Structures are given as structure tokens and as C-alpha cells.
């Protein structure tokens, strides 16, 4: 490599290896571009379908991302035994291509294709890339037979129009539950709308789906639905006119914030510790009963001792309820949160 200047004094670099480099053109360039697009398609192909495999991607920094099926939220944790950061993410085409670092322009078009599918439809991000790779594979065979690329593109356009026309002929309009769902949507909006301010807080509307049901089973519940069971199987499953106590604190003895060590070497010490914990539970349960609560909803969990005591004190409880759900319950019942 050498540095030179032109007649205007502008510097430019002369590469000594320039004459050794070759530039692809014609059929070879087309095959190279097709190969790049097919490479992206092959990566996503094995993740398609119910038996799709997980993907492992490693970033330049050494972080490993696992594209895991059936995981809705992104979780990160440190694998100390392997000394790298492992991230779990959804196994769909849009998520995978977002993590990929591609340089080829055709491969980038495949990535943009998946993004467009995700933006317009929200599904089929893997299938659209796999299908594009299959079309490129067939196009390569046609190129080898001497067919011009424009003729191939025109053939694909004609096939697309024929496929759309066929789909329109065999398609059926589905209006099942259309009116019922529309009425439910209108009632839900009106139930939380502030007509004086002409404002609607859509965060107060929660849509929750259940596997195995039908559209006809859809119903509107004026209240809060918490998909939780009672903390003890012997607690009552139905409570009418309940007085709810919402707890945002753990239903257990307080834990020291510093490192500590407790040595119990006699039965008397163990009995003393157990009596102190039981007294703590008794005080918490009694406070809930003193305010007239007939149901306790706790954001955190509690151990078997507290659960057993709640059952014997006839105080049903639900644990591990999310903070957002607690706020909605408080808004719906006009309560305050205690911690």
C-alpha cells in the first residue's frame, strides 16, 4: 500500500494487491448473491415448525444468545461455570435476524424482508425468509439454464398473481362471533371511559387468552381477573362480599440485611426461635383479621408455617400476585396499598 497525490493535491491510497483481486460479474455474481440469501434462509429453516430447533448466536463481545421456543419474555442470567452471559429469547425469524450481523447486501435484504413481515403482519417472519430462499434456489437453476434474470422475475410475478387469484377463489369470509366481540369491545371501552373528559385509559382493559377455549366462550368481566389459586388447597374456592387486604410486603419474618449466623445447639433454643416466628405470624394474621379482612392478596410468597396458620385462622390467601394486578385491584375496589 502506498500514498500518492493527484494534480489537485488530494491524497489517495494505491493498493499493491489491487491487481490480484478479482471482481465477480455476470452469472458468478448472481450466484454469489443467491448464495448469501440462501445462507440466511438455511439458518432460519431449521427453526420453523413445531419441531423447530433452538438457535445459539454469539456476539463479538462473547455474549451468547439462545433463541428458545415457547418463551415469551426475554430473560438474562450469568452462567458462572462457563463465564459468559446467556440470554434467552423468542425463537422467531424477526428476533433471530435482529441478532445476526450480516455484511452482504442481499442478506441484508432478507433481514429487511423479515422485519417488514413482522411490521405488517406480526407473524410468519421465519416462513417468509424460508420461502424467499426456496425461490432463490429455484432461480439459480433457471440461471444455469441460460434464462435471463428479468424473465425469471417476470415469471415469479405472474405466478404470484395466479396464486393470489386462486386464494381469492377458495377463500371464505369468516364472520363468526364478529358482532359479539364488537359488542364486548365497545362495552369494555365504555366501562373505563371518562365521558366528561372524553378520555379513555386503555391500560385499565386487560385482554387474557386461555388455551383450549372457543371464540364463543369470550366474555367481559367487570372487575379484575387474577389467574391464581388459593395458597392452601383446603381454603374456600368461593368468597362473596370479600373484604380484601392487599400486602406488598413478604408474609414472613424480616431478614437482616447483613451477613449473619445463628447457632442452635439445644432444643430449647430451637423452641424459642420457633415460638418467636410463630408469634410474628400470629401478629400479622391478627392485624389482617382486626381490619375485617376475609381475603389476603400478597405480592410476595410465604412459607408453609404462615400458610398453615392462615388456613387454621380461616383467612384465605393468594400469593405471588403481580404488582400491576395489585394496583388494578386497588383501583377497582378503592383501596390503598399497605407495605
Amino acid at each position: 500500500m502506498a500514498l500518492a497525490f493527484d494534480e489537485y493535491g488530494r491524497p489517495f491510497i494505491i493498493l499493491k494487491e489491487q491487481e490480484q483481486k478479482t471482481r465477480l460479474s455476470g452469472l458468478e455474481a448472481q450466484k454469489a448473491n443467491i448464495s448469501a440469501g440462501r445462507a440466511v434462509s438455511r439458518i432460519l429453516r431449521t427453526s420453523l415448525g413445531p419441531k423447530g430447533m433452538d438457535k445459539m448466536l454469539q456476539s463479538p463481545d462473547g455474549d451468547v444468545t439462545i433463541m428458545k421456543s415457547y418463551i415469551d419474555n426475554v430473560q438474562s442470567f450469568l452462567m458462572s461455570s462457563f463465564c459468559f452471559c446467556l440470554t434467552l429469547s423468542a425463537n422467531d425469524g424477526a428476533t433471530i435476524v435482529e441478532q445476526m450481523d450480516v455484511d452482504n447486501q442481499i442478506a441484508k435484504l432478507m433481514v429487511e424482508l423479515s422485519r417488514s413481515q413482522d411490521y405488517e403482519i406480526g407473524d410468519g417472519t421465519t416462513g417468509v425468509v424460508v420461502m424467499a430462499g426456496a425461490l432463490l434456489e429455484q432461480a439459480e437453476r433457471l440461471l444455469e439454464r441460460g434464462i435471463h434474470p428479468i424473465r425469471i422475475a417476470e415469471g415469479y410475478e405472474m405466478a404470484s398473481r395466479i396464486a393470489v387469484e386462486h386464494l381469492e377463489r377458495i377463500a371464505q369470509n369468516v364472520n363468526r362471533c364478529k358482532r359479539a366481540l364488537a359488542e364486548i369491545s365497545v362495552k369494555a371501552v365504555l366501562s373505563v371511559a371518562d365521558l366528561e373528559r372524553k378520555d379513555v385509559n386503555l391500560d385499565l382493559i386487560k385482554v387474557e387468552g386461555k388455551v383450549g377455549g372457543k371464540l364463543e366462550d369470550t366474555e367481559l368481566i367487570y372487575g379484575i381477573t387474577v389467574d391464581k389459586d388459593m395458597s392452601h388447597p383446603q381454603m374456600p374456592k368461593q368468597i362473596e362480599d370479600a373484604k380484601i387486604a392487599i400486602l406488598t410486603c413478604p408474609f414472613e419474618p424480616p431478614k437482616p440485611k447483613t451477613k449473619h449466623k445463628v447457632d442452635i445447639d439445644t432444643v430449647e433454643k430451637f423452641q424459642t426461635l420457633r415460638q418467636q416466628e410463630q408469634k410474628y405470624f400470629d401478629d400479622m394474621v391478627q392485624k389482617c383479621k382486626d381490619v375485617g379482612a376475609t381475603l389476603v392478596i400478597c405480592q410476595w410468597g410465604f412459607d408453609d408455617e404462615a400458610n398453615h396458620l392462615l388456613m387454621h385462622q380461616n383467612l384465605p390467601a393468594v400469593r405471588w400476585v403481580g404488582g400491576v394486578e395489585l394496583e388494578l385491584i386497588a383501583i377497582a375496589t378503592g383501596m390503598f396499598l399497605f407495605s
Side-chain angles (χ1 to χ4, degrees), residues 85-98:
C85 182
L86 187 65
T87 304
L88 299 182
S89 184
N91 185 11
D92 67 313
T95 308
I96 294 176
V97 296
E98 286 291 340

Side-chain angles (χ1 to χ4, degrees), residues 64-105:
V64 176
T65 301
I66 301 295
M67 300 300 174
K68 195 74 174 174
S69 301
Y70 309 113
I71 290 185
D72 297 332
N73 59 331
V74 179
Q75 306 172 2
S76 299
F77 57 92
L78 184 64
M79 299 290 291
S80 57
S81 58
F82 294 98
C83 298
F84 60 79
C85 182
L86 187 65
T87 304
L88 299 182
S89 184
N91 185 11
D92 67 313
T95 308
I96 294 176
V97 296
E98 286 291 340
Q99 301 291 334
M100 294 173 56
D101 186 12
V102 293
D103 296 330
N104 186 275
Q105 298 300 322

Side-chain angles (χ1 to χ4, degrees), residues 139-173:
E140 184 176 7
R141 297 179 182 180
L142 296 176
L143 288 172
E144 293 175 350
R145 296 173 57 182
I147 302 178
H148 197 275
I150 296 180
R151 300 290 294 175
I152 298 175
E154 291 176 350
Y156 280 161
E157 290 287 346
M158 185 181 301
S160 175
R161 289 193 296 268
I162 295 174
V164 171
E165 292 175 358
H166 180 69
L167 289 176
E168 291 178 351
R169 287 195 301 267
I170 65 175
Q172 297 180 358
N173 293 327

Side-chain angles (χ1 to χ4, degrees), residues 176-177 180-182 184-185 207-210 213-221:
R176 196 183 76 182
C177 303
L181 292 177
I184 289 176
S185 301
V207 180
E208 186 168 344
K210 290 295 181 182
K214 299 181 297 183
L215 288 177
E216 290 80 4
D217 299 332
T218 305
E219 60 178 324
L220 176 62
I221 298 177

Side-chain angles (χ1 to χ4, degrees), residues 13 22 25 32 41 46-47 68 77 83 91 93 124 137 140 159 167-168 201 267 271 330:
I13 298 176
T22 58
S25 60
S41 175
T46 54
S47 65
K68 195 74 174 174
F77 57 92
C83 298
N91 185 11
E137 183 178 355
E140 184 176 7
L167 289 176
E168 291 178 351
N201 187 2
V267 177
Q271 291 293 342

Side-chain angles (χ1 to χ4, degrees), residues 110-312:
M110 300 289 282
V111 174
E112 291 298 327
L113 177 64
S114 179
R115 291 175 181 171
S116 299
Q117 179 75 10
D118 187 32
Y119 177 77
E120 294 291 339
I121 308 298
D123 194 12
T125 54
T126 302
V128 68
V129 176
V130 173
M131 184 175 180
L135 293 176
L136 289 175
E137 183 178 355
Q138 297 299 323
E140 184 176 7
R141 297 179 182 180
L142 296 176
L143 288 172
E144 293 175 350
R145 296 173 57 182
I147 302 178
H148 197 275
I150 296 180
R151 300 290 294 175
I152 298 175
E154 291 176 350
Y156 280 161
E157 290 287 346
M158 185 181 301
S160 175
R161 289 193 296 268
I162 295 174
V164 171
E165 292 175 358
H166 180 69
L167 289 176
E168 291 178 351
R169 287 195 301 267
I170 65 175
Q172 297 180 358
N173 293 327
V174 179
N175 295 322
R176 196 183 76 182
C177 303
K178 181 178 180 181
R179 182 175 182 82
L181 292 177
E183 291 178 354
I184 289 176
S185 301
V186 173
K187 292 179 181 178
V189 173
L190 291 177
S191 63
V192 298
D194 189 346
L195 299 180
E196 295 182 358
R197 298 176 53 191
K198 296 182 180 180
D199 184 32
V200 179
N201 187 2
L202 296 179
D203 293 334
L204 298 178
I205 300 177
K206 180 181 179 182
V207 180
E208 186 168 344
K210 290 295 181 182
V211 178
K214 299 181 297 183
L215 288 177
E216 290 80 4
D217 299 332
T218 305
E219 60 178 324
L220 176 62
I221 298 177
Y222 293 96
I224 308 299
T225 300
V226 180
D227 189 10
K228 296 288 183 180
D229 295 328
M230 292 295 181
S231 60
H232 197 282
Q234 297 183 9
M235 290 180 178
K237 300 297 187 295
Q238 183 175 354
I239 303 174
E240 296 182 359
D241 298 328
K243 294 183 179 180
I244 305 174
I246 298 179
L247 303 179
T248 59
C249 58
F251 204 81
E252 60 184 12
K255 297 179 180 180
K257 297 184 180 298
T258 58
K259 293 183 179 180
H260 62 284
K261 180 179 179 181
V262 178
D263 293 329
I264 301 177
D265 50 7
T266 62
V267 177
E268 291 76 12
K269 291 183 180 180
F270 177 78
Q271 291 293 342
T272 302
L273 179 61
R274 185 176 181 278
Q275 290 174 2
Q276 291 178 351
E277 289 186 352
Q278 187 170 0
K279 183 178 181 302
Y280 186 87
F281 291 142
D282 288 335
D283 294 340
M284 291 191 69
V285 173
Q286 192 59 42
K287 289 180 180 179
C288 293
K289 294 184 73 69
D290 290 342
V291 297
T294 58
L295 175 64
V296 174
I297 298 180
C298 185
Q299 183 177 5
W300 304 98
F302 37 82
D303 59 12
D304 295 337
E305 182 72 21
N307 199 15
H308 182 75
L309 183 60
L310 286 169
M311 193 270 295
H312 279 281

